[in-house]
Amino acid sequence: MWTDQTRPLYDRSKLRYPSDLTDQEWERLRPLFPPAKHGGRRRSVDEREIMNG
């Protein structure tokens, strides 16, 4: 239920698209991504942008 207290938690007006992750959502998902392999190239993509898609 929307209340004056919970509405700011779900506010997406400052994001580029409604499907983009908030910082709080991204911090919960970040540990689920495997780390980059040692000795290889650096990652050329941003994992957060992949999730935003």
Side-chain angles (χ1 to χ4, degrees), residues 7-46:
R7 190 171 298 274
L9 295 174
Y10 302 102
D11 181 29
R12 296 192 175 281
S13 63
K14 293 178 178 65
L15 300 175
R16 220 175 6 170
Y17 300 106
S19 62
D20 285 356
L21 296 171
T22 62
D23 292 337
Q24 201 171 27
E25 291 168 337
W26 173 240
E27 288 305 317
R28 292 193 64 163
L29 290 173
R30 184 188 300 213
L32 300 176
F33 278 86
K37 293 182 179 179
H38 295 288
R41 281 192 326 196
R42 297 185 77 184
R43 287 192 168 150
S44 60
V45 296
D46 183 15

